[in-house]
Each structure stands twice: as structure tokens, then as C-alpha cells.
Amino acid sequence: MAPPAQYNSLEMTERLIGFDTTSRLSNLELIGFVEDYLRGYGIEAERVVSEDGRKANLWATLGDKNRAGGIILSGHSDVVPVEGQSWNTPPFQATVRDNRLYGRGSCDMKSFIAIALAMVPDFLERPLSAPIHFAISYDEEVGCLGVRPLLKHIRERLPMSAMPPALAIIGEPTSMRVVNAHKSIHVHETLIEGLEAHSSATHKGVSSIIAAGKLINFLDGIGAEMRQRSDDDTSKRFDPPYTSVQIGVIEGGEAVNIIPRHCRFDWEYRSVPGSDDGEIFDRFNNYAKENLLPDMQRVASHASIETRKIASVPAFSVKNNSEAEALALRLSGSNHSLAVSYASEAGLFEGAGIPAVVCGPGNILQAHRPDEFIDLSQIKECENFLRKLLEHLRA
């Protein structure tokens, strides 16, 4: 029988970057690679497959599956698109230069998954006092979609009553600093239908783009109002210390001499924990209904403004005396935790009754950018973190 494949952390990261797992694509090739790798060490992983069968989460346990407790090392396999970005290195081919590893997912967040996988031989060298669970999800970048059925699978396979004090370390890029809170995120799509007409007869048509402009301006005003509410973040820990509003995509129109019938735009807001998550959505819809639609429908009775939620990720805030936070602080050598404005799967783990904390290699400022990279020193720091975890589980 052939010996199991062995990779160091850098080599494993390079392998995972080589799989194009942009969220719109399948991640099954990467999942199959991880399954084969773990199988070489006698570990049978379980798939939690998406409804369309194109994607899968992976759940695997090192150590005694029937033992209570355990620590989940969690990461997402998908990455954001590279289209429209100007890269100086191949995005899906790892490049090492100037003590940095370049490639899509190098920072967000294949390195954490890769380092954990590369350490499998170390984890298996001696018995563990509690199991280590690997949780690899799909579609985190488009609303933390995959982790939801994965958590359902965990609850069904491992009833919560049987696994305290299980905890999860979410390896999003935090420069290996411990994060115990983040904002929620709410993503929406607004579809506007007006009425076409010749551009010389503006009174005969309803411009969907003008309506969109008014709605965007209204959102911008709400954003300015939120900036004045900086006391929403009573802890003063978030950057920025208020709920933020952002418009990311807008599409519409056919030609400059046609009043446009259709326009759509995507927008989001990120709320500090404890704020009213529904306020902005409700105010937006009320403004559309009361201030725009009456005038639009006087010209075209079919005119409409429809907004739907694309994704919603809950805020995250650890509970007092969190074992997850205490352990991560001890392993990282830190004496305090941070709050961040980006979202993760941590709030969903907490909501499922699994104490969570966010801590992983890489700087979030490098995520989602062209020439995404991670400093090699961060890979080493994450290795040290996981080696201390191993010592903890052998104590």
C-alpha cells in the first residue's frame, strides 16, 4: 500500500489555490482532493452536498468520533471572482515572491484550511484528549449558504447534548489575532420596472434608472445618518463604529436615446451587534412605496419597485466566559480580543450552540483584491498556533 501523501503547509496551500472554487463554480474537485488526502491517513470524511449536487461541505474527525467535546477547525472553500481585476500573477497558480504567497484564496481563506490539513500527521501521532473536527464549507462568500446544512448535519450526527464543550475556531484572516465580535451583513437586490419611450418624450416614459438614482441617493442619506449614530457601537471597537451602507452593482438601460424600462442594483448594509437589523430595509421600502411609486404609476400602471433579500449573515458576539475565546487567546498569546466589520460563519456556529471564535492567518485588507497574498510569516504563526492546540489536546 502506498504511503499517504505528505505536504508541508506551503505546499498544501499551493495545491488548494490551484482549484478554481469561485462561488459560482463547483468545489467538488477540491473536496475530492481533501477526501483522498485524508483517506490516506485512515480518515473517512463525510460530504454534505448542495441541493443541486454541484457543491459539497466536508466534515471529518480526527480522534475518537464518539468522544464528547472536540474542537472544530472551520474554513470555507469558495473564493470571490477575479474577473475585471488586473493581476500580475496567475490567480489560480500560487506564486511565492518576496516572502509572500500570491493567489486567489491565499489570504481568504485557503491557507488556514491547508495548514490544518498539512498537520494531520502531527495530530494523529499520539492519541488526542478530545477529537479535532474539520469543517470545510461552500458558498461562504455569497451569504454563508453552505455552512447552514453543514451545521444541521453536525447537529443530527452529533447531538449537542453529547458534545459540550465543543467549540469552533473559524480561520478567517485576522493576522492571527483573536476576534470575538463582528457585524451582521444584509444583501439585497432591487428590481425597477418603468416604461420605455423615445428620449425626446420624457413625459411619456418612466425611467427606471432615474428611480434607481433616487433610491441610491436615499440609501446614501441613510448611510450618512448612520455615520452620525456612531454611538450605536457603545464598545467603540468596530471600524467604522456604525452601521455602513454600500451599493455594489448597478445595471440598466439599452441606449442613450431610449428611456430605460429595467434597472437593477445590489446593495448591502452591515450592522453593529444589537442594532435594529430591519430598520434600513423597512425605511427603504417605505420610501419607494410612498415617494416614488405613485408618480411612476401615474404614467405606467405596471411600474414597480421590488426588493428581495439575497443573503443575510447574523452578527457575532461571544458570550461571557466563552471557552472558545479563552482558548484562542491562550494559544495566540494575546491578552485581548478584537471586533471587525466583516462577516464570517462564526455567528451561525454560535446560533447552533457551538461556542466560536475567529482567528486565522492573513490580513483582511489583502482579501478580494487583485494579487491577493499572504505573508509567509503568517503561515508560520498559524502553524505555531495549531501546534499549541495540539499540546493542549495532549495535556
Side-chain angles (χ1 to χ4, degrees):
M1 183 176 179
Q6 293 191 356
Y7 299 88
N8 61 36
S9 296
L10 180 58
E11 292 167 341
M12 183 63 80
T13 305
E14 292 172 339
R15 287 300 305 268
L16 297 190
I17 288 172
F19 297 103
D20 181 355
T21 52
T22 304
S23 298
R24 67 174 182 275
L25 304 176
S26 172
N27 72 337
L28 294 182
E29 190 176 357
L30 180 149
I31 293 297
F33 166 77
V34 174
E35 285 176 324
D36 290 343
Y37 170 76
L38 293 175
R39 193 174 295 117
Y41 289 93
I43 302 163
E44 288 300 323
E46 302 173 66
R47 288 191 184 193
V48 181
V49 182
S50 63
E51 290 185 2
D52 62 8
R54 296 180 61 247
K55 301 178 183 181
N57 302 299
L58 180 140
W59 175 257
T61 299
L62 283 64
D64 187 352
K65 292 184 178 181
N66 299 313
R67 190 163 193 157
I71 294 173
I72 300 171
L73 302 179
S74 176
H76 61 83
S77 61
D78 62 314
V79 297
V80 297
V82 300
E83 285 78 13
Q85 295 184 337
S86 179
W87 283 69
N88 294 305
T89 61
F92 297 106
Q93 178 181 324
T95 302
V96 177
R97 188 177 67 213
D98 299 327
N99 293 314
R100 293 173 173 176
L101 174 64
Y102 291 85
R104 177 60 89 215
S106 58
C107 171
D108 185 16
M109 58 171 294
K110 290 181 175 178
S111 291
F112 179 78
I113 298 171
I115 296 163
L117 289 172
M119 289 190 63
V120 164
D122 299 281
F123 290 142
L124 296 179
E125 188 178 358
R126 286 184 289 164
L128 302 170
S129 60
I132 293 176
H133 308 287
F134 288 165
I136 302 176
S137 64
Y138 64 84
D139 281 0
E140 187 271 351
E141 296 288 5
V142 290
C144 295
L145 304 182
V147 73
R148 300 168 199 257
L150 176 58
L151 286 168
K152 182 175 183 291
H153 175 81
I154 294 171
R155 288 194 299 269
E156 291 174 349
R157 294 294 298 245
L158 300 168
M160 301 308 301
S161 60
M163 56 185 300
L167 58 92
I169 298 172
I170 317 299
E172 291 280 0
T174 67
S175 298
M176 293 309 300
R177 302 175 74 180
V178 178
V179 167
N180 68 356
H182 66 59
K183 295 180 180 180
S184 63
I185 179 172
H186 308 274
V187 183
H188 304 83
E189 177 188 56
T190 295
L191 302 169
I192 305 168
E193 183 172 4
L195 177 65
E196 307 102 320
H198 193 280
S199 60
S200 66
T202 54
H203 61 301
K204 298 291 187 180
V206 176
S207 171
S208 59
I209 289 179
I210 287 178
K214 292 177 180 178
L215 289 166
I216 291 171
N217 185 62
F218 179 75
L219 285 172
D220 187 52
I222 291 181
E225 179 186 327
M226 293 295 160
R227 287 193 290 275
Q228 300 303 313
R229 290 195 203 172
S230 57
D231 58 350
D232 279 359
D233 175 22
T234 55
S235 68
K236 305 301 179 188
R237 301 174 66 219
F238 289 96
D239 182 21
Y242 48 80
T243 295
S244 61
V245 182
Q246 199 270 143
I247 293 87
V249 176
I250 184 167
E251 298 173 343
E254 298 293 336
V256 70
N257 59 354
I258 301 175
I259 294 173
R261 182 184 183 102
H262 296 288
C263 185
R264 63 170 288 270
F265 62 93
D266 296 344
W267 55 283
E268 67 166 32
Y269 56 93
R270 296 173 183 251
S271 303
V272 298
S275 59
D276 181 357
D277 283 343
E279 177 191 355
I280 293 176
F281 181 74
D282 292 342
R283 289 176 60 182
F284 177 86
N285 279 335
N286 289 337
Y287 174 77
K289 180 179 179 181
E290 297 173 7
N291 294 75
L292 298 187
L293 274 176
D295 288 342
M296 294 169 64
Q297 291 178 344
R298 270 192 282 272
V299 178
S301 60
H302 69 269
S304 63
I305 300 172
E306 297 181 2
T307 297
R308 68 181 185 93
K309 293 184 180 181
I310 297 176
S312 182
V313 179
F316 167 60
S317 183
V318 301
K319 297 177 174 62
N320 290 334
N321 302 315
S322 166
E323 183 179 353
E325 181 180 13
L327 176 61
L329 286 171
R330 187 160 67 250
L331 299 179
S332 67
S334 302
N335 55 18
H336 69 281
S337 301
L338 305 176
V340 296
S341 294
Y342 55 89
S344 79
E345 297 171 339
L348 292 162
F349 275 91
E350 284 276 350
I354 302 174
V357 70
V358 185
C359 185
N363 189 321
I364 192 64
L365 296 179
Q366 306 308 326
H368 298 194
R369 299 177 59 177
D371 294 333
E372 177 182 345
F373 71 84
I374 186 171
D375 288 321
L376 297 184
S377 61
Q378 281 287 295
I379 293 178
K380 183 60 65 178
E381 194 170 338
C382 184
E383 285 180 338
N384 293 337
F385 179 94
L386 292 180
R387 292 194 188 283
K388 290 180 181 177
L389 172 63
L390 182 56
E391 293 172 9
H392 170 75
L393 292 175
R394 287 179 178 163

